[in-house]
Amino acid sequence: MLHVHAVFKTYPTAQGPLAVLRGANLHMQQGESLALMGESGSGKSTLLHLVAGLERVDSGSIEIAGERLDQMNEGQLANWRRTQIGLVFQQFNLIGSLKVEDNLAFQARLAGRFDPEWQAQLVLRLGLAELLKRYPEQLSGGQQQRVAIGRALASRPALLLADEPTGNLDEATSDDVLQLLLELLNDSPTSLLMVTHSPRVAGRLSRQAVLQRGQLAAGEAR
Ligand SMILES: Nc1ncnc2c1ncn2[C@@H]1O[C@H](COP(=O)(O)OP(=O)(O)OP(=O)(O)O)[C@@H](O)[C@H]1O
Ligand SMILES: [Mg+2]
């Protein structure tokens, strides 16, 4: 469902052009979960941003669910992101002025894909029932992360992109959150592409890939 083909991405810097991705290839099937690993600065977040349509490739193609991202205009990309992509970052990015229940529904409503039954199921499975009337600042890190995951899954995206989603959590909480995420994905057609520095976390996903020298190689969780 995801095909990244011969993607190049270079950033201009004060020291000259920095070639981050140099012919990167990546293929994922529907329902698959892939851990993206690699040294700091190797281009993992860059690749995620490209796949999310937040940035554009210099050359190469990205196809998701039969659609070519590199050929869309900005309006099409924005609509695409709303309906097909779920995003979870390390810093949760919850909306401080909205209660948990409205944070959860916000993007699904925007996308016209709010489904009260699915929302209720997410609330139950993520253990958020008691927290719905609270604001993000009244939650612990692990609780905020569960809200962020619920929000990303609420619109039933084709692809969930997660950039070190458990990086700010202690090991036990991180394990709980990951376990929940994987269970939810089991019951939906959503595929997962997750950046992680933790071989332990990577080992829980169905496949691992390592980004080095601008290209992807099959990786092993160690
Ligand atoms: N907008 C930008 N302009 C210039 N350089 C950038 C920009 N964004 C990223 N870079 C550079 O591109 C390289 C790859 O960055 P990226 O954030 O993708 O790395 P990463 O693998 O996610 O690293 P980390 O594990 O530390 O999060 C880094 O050297 C970074 O400094
Ligand atoms: Mg990064």
Side-chain angles (χ1 to χ4, degrees):
M1 60 86 54
L2 168 66
H3 301 284
V4 173
H5 180 68
V7 162
F8 284 77
K9 180 72 181 174
T10 295
Y11 289 115
T13 70
Q15 289 78 37
L18 175 68
V20 177
L21 299 180
R22 292 180 275 173
N25 294 300
L26 176 66
H27 302 280
M28 278 178 71
Q29 313 206 328
Q30 190 178 22
E32 194 173 29
S33 63
L34 183 114
L36 181 57
M37 308 188 73
E39 282 175 14
S40 180
S42 59
K44 303 179 297 297
S45 296
T46 300
L47 182 64
L48 241 61
H49 292 159
L50 293 172
V51 170
L54 292 166
E55 289 186 59
R56 288 183 169 275
V57 301
D58 294 339
S59 65
S61 65
I62 299 180
E63 184 186 312
I64 306 177
E67 304 257 15
R68 284 279 299 270
L69 249 61
D70 50 293
Q71 294 176 344
M72 291 182 189
N73 64 32
E74 293 303 322
Q76 289 169 322
L77 269 184
N79 185 50
W80 162 264
R81 255 198 316 277
R82 269 202 300 276
T83 54
Q84 303 290 331
I85 300 286
L87 284 171
V88 182
F89 293 115
Q90 193 172 359
Q91 323 75 330
F92 317 142
N93 295 320
L94 298 175
I95 301 170
S97 58
L98 294 182
K99 290 180 186 141
V100 166
E101 57 186 354
D102 296 319
N103 262 288
L104 280 172
F106 185 73
Q107 277 159 6
R109 285 206 177 103
L110 264 186
R113 291 162 76 105
F114 179 70
D115 171 351
E117 256 174 57
W118 178 230
Q119 165 108 351
Q121 219 186 102
L122 286 171
V123 166
L124 202 68
R125 299 276 294 277
L126 291 166
L128 297 172
E130 309 293 307
L131 306 174
L132 289 176
K133 304 291 177 199
R134 290 205 207 169
Y135 289 91
E137 63 177 16
Q138 301 167 323
L139 303 178
S140 73
Q143 289 167 339
Q144 288 187 46
Q145 191 59 316
R146 282 185 274 142
V147 177
I149 287 170
R151 178 180 62 177
L153 290 174
S155 60
R156 293 184 183 275
L159 181 61
L160 182 66
L161 300 172
D163 203 344
E164 297 185 58
T166 57
N168 276 330
L169 306 176
D170 64 70
E171 235 180 53
T173 310
S174 149
D175 281 352
D176 289 349
V177 168
L178 184 66
Q179 178 67 30
L180 263 171
L181 175 59
L182 294 178
E183 281 172 18
L184 282 168
L185 288 178
N186 263 339
D187 299 339
S188 77
T190 300
S191 308
L192 170 68
L193 177 55
M194 179 195 281
V195 172
T196 178
H197 283 286
S198 158
R200 213 169 46 87
V201 168
R204 307 271 309 271
L205 306 197
S206 55
R207 207 147 61 85
Q208 295 80 34
V210 180
L211 192 49
Q212 47 194 354
R213 292 180 288 281
Q215 301 196 340
L216 281 152
E220 254 176 80
R222 267 172 295 229

